[in-house]
Amino acid sequence: MEFFSNFYDIVVSRWDLIESAFIEHMYLSFVSIAIAILISLPLGMWIAKTKRFAEPVIGVTAVLQTIPSLAFFGFLVPIVGIGTNTALIALIIYALLPIVRNVYTGIIRVDSSMIEAATGMGLTKWQRLRQIEFPLAFPFIMAGVRTATVLTIGVATLATFVGAGGLGDVIYRGLQSNNQYLVLAGAVPVALLAIGFDFALKWLENRATPKGMQLKD
Amino acid sequence: MIRIIEVKDLWKRFQDGTEAIKGVSVKFETNKLTCIIGPSGCGKTTLLKHLNQLEAPTSGDILIDNESIFSQDEVALRRKIGYVIQKIGLFPHMTIADNISIVPKLLKWEKRTYQKRVDEMLELVSLEPDIYANRYPLELSGGQQQRVGVARALAADPNIILMDEPFSALDPISREQLQEHLQEIQKRLKKTIVFVTHDMDEALKIADKIVLMKDGEVEQIGTPDEIVNHPANDFVRSFIGTERMQRFQKTSKRDVGSLRQWYVSEIDVPAQPVEADYSVAEAVELMVQQDVLAIEIKEGEQILGYLTKDRILEALVLERGDAS
Ligand SMILES: Nc1ncnc2c1ncn2[C@@H]1O[C@H](COP(=O)(O)OP(=O)(O)O)[C@@H](O)[C@H]1O
Ligand SMILES: [Mg+2]
């Protein structure tokens, strides 16, 4: 019981800090995911169409992903300095891989009979992509977006090390002052945020997936 | 418009070196249903895919109404040619109505026009528009899906329809139904149809002309009768099979007198009198083309019995089933 009341006291006394860190965290995650989607969609479709570049592009994004996130932030500081932009760049690059890969696989796994029927009926490449391949790949693409989102919200706790704020601030201060309640007051909202985003995206996905495809499973 | 398709000395070598088509020349005649038949891998699909430019030839030419298709815009060409594939290829994320109206929409038909067209097409393939128009493909059986596939190919009223083993993945009953349906549709609409199959029974049943292929070459071109009665060589003969040859000759030559066990003694529709040695093929022709509802079979002055269209068809289907 004492645990909860201590935790509660910390949350109340540090509310201003937690609140602004929460908003910063949401902002960082949201903006980087949005930009990552804007980059990955055309990139994924492009490598799915011109198969030649698929391996190198997926390879490069995969290698970037294997760099430990903390090292990656540190890496960027000498190049872009510190601040929000540095954090955004790192987060965007992190979010790219799952989305690009899922756009790519989503599109290349569309049944060849769909492609043949569409082409044979006289759809242009672009019409085929928009009317057939993209809608059929949509559930896959959304799965990639959800993975990227949860990942980004977690990694965004490191933004504090480049002075970009976020809930990492709260956790870091808790660690420095050896205050487990403050650490928790930073970590719990991160988890809630990740669950909330995932839930919202799942809802969006269900609404946007055509009824005919939901019958499949 | 003549809508005749002429393939001239067509050769196709794939990038891996496979020689799929080796000097094929063939005419697909206007308003006829031509079956391309042959063993698996003989180049039927490859030949068909050249007709709507899904494949490009190594050499040779294809003319539609005397104009080379390779000098035309491939997308525009394909919109003028209906295409039905074996794997059906309905788009699962679109309703039946949306699937059928794809090409009309590409051709910028007005909404009212293509909506009306969807209903007409569904009726043509015997699917109730009120029930099916707003369903999704996966809610339909395989046979129903392929009916929609046929409706979709006909939607923009193309003069030429290409079909690649459209019924081979269906169960035997659906297949039989769709074959009969296609024949009826063809009688009404008169299209130039190129129909790929590996099933000789299917070809003999529906084709006006048969193009028999082997290893990328044409072995024989002829009507079902010519192919069965005058096979060009041993390959054709063995491909048809002696058993089928006898069976086919039997049905095409038999007379209505031989269907005695199918006679009914009374009917409530007007009947046309025919002699007992009148051929079954002619009787069917009479009923289908001239809307004769039943025939009265006579021997001299004596009335032997009556046959309705349904009875005859039933007889043919069942007796053929026994024979095979
Ligand atoms: N894209 C391709 N690349 C290489 N070979 C092919 C290709 N498509 C078909 N073939 C080959 O060409 C031959 C004819 O194939 P196909 O036209 O599909 O035969 P069918 O439809 O009569 O079964 C086969 O040997 C097949 O393996
Ligand atoms: Mg084939």
Side-chain angles (χ1 to χ4, degrees):
Chain A
M1 247 23 263
E2 195 195 329
F3 177 87
F4 287 107
S5 67
N6 284 347
F7 179 62
Y8 180 78
D9 288 345
I10 285 287
V11 170
V12 171
S13 65
R14 298 298 190 94
W15 182 249
D16 284 348
L17 171 71
I18 296 169
E19 191 185 18
S20 67
F22 186 81
I23 291 169
E24 276 166 357
H25 203 97
M26 264 196 25
Y27 169 82
L28 286 172
S29 312
F30 191 80
V31 170
S32 49
I33 282 291
I35 296 176
I37 292 174
L38 287 180
I39 299 173
S40 319
L41 273 186
L43 185 62
M45 291 188 192
W46 180 67
I47 59 171
K49 291 288 119 186
T50 53
K51 302 227 163 57
R52 206 144 45 100
F53 299 104
E55 286 214 2
V57 169
I58 302 255
V60 167
T61 48
V63 167
L64 289 175
Q65 185 107 71
T66 60
I67 303 172
S69 27
L70 193 53
F72 199 49
F73 277 87
F75 210 59
L76 281 174
V77 173
I79 308 169
V80 259
I82 58 165
T84 308
N85 285 347
T86 312
L88 284 178
I89 290 171
L91 291 177
I92 289 166
I93 289 174
Y94 253 79
L96 280 182
L97 174 75
I99 311 180
V100 170
R101 192 166 48 193
N102 278 41
V103 172
Y104 171 75
T105 37
I107 292 210
I108 61 162
R109 68 180 269 291
V110 169
D111 198 294
S112 63
S113 65
M114 298 287 120
I115 308 293
E116 195 196 326
T119 316
M121 290 165 71
L123 276 80
T124 62
K125 254 190 164 179
W126 173 243
Q127 287 166 336
R128 201 179 68 201
L129 190 63
R130 206 174 55 82
Q131 295 180 29
I132 312 297
E133 295 173 271
F134 182 76
L136 291 177
F138 184 75
F140 254 72
I141 296 173
M142 280 307 284
V145 170
R146 279 166 50 207
T147 310
T149 304
V150 173
L151 190 80
T152 303
I153 290 171
V155 175
T157 49
L158 299 176
T160 180
F161 296 114
V162 295
L167 286 161
D169 270 3
V170 182
I171 299 171
Y172 188 58
R173 283 189 204 188
L175 289 172
Q176 269 189 328
S177 56
N178 210 359
N179 182 340
Q180 51 170 326
Y181 302 109
L182 194 55
V183 172
L184 214 56
V188 170
V190 172
L192 291 178
L193 206 56
I195 294 169
F197 262 80
D198 196 46
F199 193 77
L201 286 169
K202 183 71 198 161
W203 178 81
L204 203 73
E205 180 186 331
N206 284 341
R207 289 207 34 157
T209 304
K211 189 168 156 271
M213 286 172 64
Q214 293 170 353
L215 295 169
K216 249 194 280 194
D217 26 60
Chain B
M1 201 161 341
I2 22 186
R3 333 154 188 179
I4 194 165
I5 310 172
E6 265 184 280
V7 177
K8 289 190 162 168
D9 195 25
L10 197 78
W11 292 77
K12 175 66 178 182
R13 176 203 291 265
F14 282 108
Q15 275 186 336
D16 64 1
T18 311
E19 295 261 16
I21 305 284
K22 294 182 267 192
V24 166
S25 296
V26 54
K27 263 188 203 166
F28 299 104
E29 289 167 47
T30 311
N31 299 351
K32 292 275 164 65
L33 194 159
T34 306
C35 276
I36 303 176
I37 190 167
S40 175
C42 72
K44 307 180 292 293
T45 296
T46 308
L47 177 58
L48 192 79
K49 282 182 168 180
H50 277 84
L51 303 181
N52 61 356
Q53 287 206 52
L54 287 178
E55 293 287 357
T58 309
S59 72
D61 203 358
I62 296 169
L63 311 177
I64 293 182
D65 296 350
N66 294 319
E67 195 191 341
S68 170
I69 61 169
F70 302 107
S71 61
Q72 302 175 30
D73 174 49
E74 56 181 20
V75 167
L77 176 83
R78 288 173 191 147
R79 290 177 188 175
K80 290 189 288 188
I81 298 179
Y83 189 43
V84 186
I85 59 176
Q86 178 185 1
K87 292 177 80 184
I88 303 177
L90 294 184
F91 304 123
H93 61 298
M94 296 183 183
T95 61
I96 301 305
D98 287 339
N99 266 286
I100 294 176
S101 51
I102 291 177
V103 180
K105 279 181 194 159
L106 292 174
L107 295 172
K108 308 244 181 325
W109 288 19
E110 278 187 30
K111 190 168 181 189
R112 269 226 318 267
T113 321
Y114 69 67
Q115 281 176 339
K116 215 175 112 220
R117 188 71 181 164
V118 166
D119 289 355
E120 284 170 18
M121 287 299 102
L122 283 174
E123 273 161 17
L124 184 72
V125 296
S126 298
L127 292 172
E128 182 62 47
D130 290 341
I131 299 176
Y132 293 102
N134 294 315
R135 293 215 177 157
Y136 287 89
L138 294 173
E139 296 173 296
L140 271 56
S141 72
Q144 290 172 331
Q145 287 185 35
Q146 195 55 298
R147 279 168 198 264
V148 176
V150 172
R152 183 171 71 172
L154 290 163
D157 202 19
N159 293 322
I160 296 170
I161 321 252
L162 310 179
M163 307 180 105
D164 192 353
E165 310 209 16
F167 308 145
S168 65
L170 306 179
D171 63 276
I173 293 174
S174 307
R175 190 184 314 144
E176 192 101 11
Q177 281 177 346
L178 267 112
Q179 288 165 349
E180 269 152 36
H181 223 93
L182 181 68
Q183 288 177 293
E184 274 170 45
I185 291 174
Q186 171 65 348
K187 279 215 178 78
R188 274 165 61 187
L189 302 185
K190 293 281 179 218
K191 305 283 183 187
T192 302
I193 301 180
V194 183
F195 188 111
V196 166
T197 179
H198 63 257
D199 176 355
M200 198 64 188
D201 287 321
E202 183 168 68
L204 291 176
K205 181 171 172 186
I206 65 173
D208 296 308
K209 265 261 165 77
I210 293 178
V211 175
L212 211 144
M213 290 180 68
K214 179 193 162 204
D215 293 341
E217 288 174 289
V218 170
E219 294 290 314
Q220 186 172 4
I221 301 176
T223 63
D225 261 323
E226 284 164 1
I227 299 258
V228 172
N229 294 320
H230 308 285
N233 54 38
D234 284 344
F235 171 75
V236 177
R237 200 168 293 123
S238 73
F239 193 77
I240 302 168
T242 39
E243 184 263 341
R244 190 183 280 111
M245 237 181 243
Q246 287 160 358
R247 181 161 26 112
F248 183 79
Q249 283 162 345
K250 218 166 72 193
T251 23
S252 64
K253 296 253 166 67
R254 63 195 290 197
D255 54 39
V256 290
S258 71
L259 293 178
R260 191 160 302 219
Q261 65 177 112
W262 296 91
Y263 289 177
V264 286
S265 52
E266 276 178 23
I267 48 167
D268 45 15
V269 290
Q272 172 148 337
V274 298
E275 289 294 320
D277 60 0
Y278 195 70
S279 85
V280 173
E282 273 178 293
V284 171
E285 185 89 1
L286 197 67
M287 289 170 154
V288 174
Q289 302 246 310
Q290 298 179 28
D291 274 343
V292 171
L293 296 173
I295 51 171
E296 180 186 84
I297 300 100
K298 298 172 76 171
E299 205 161 44
E301 283 304 296
Q302 194 198 350
I303 295 171
L304 301 176
Y306 299 91
L307 275 174
T308 60
K309 182 171 151 194
D310 288 345
R311 285 298 275 186
I312 292 198
L313 289 178
E314 200 183 341
L316 291 179
V317 169
L318 286 181
E319 295 198 356
R320 217 182 55 190
D322 286 346
S324 56

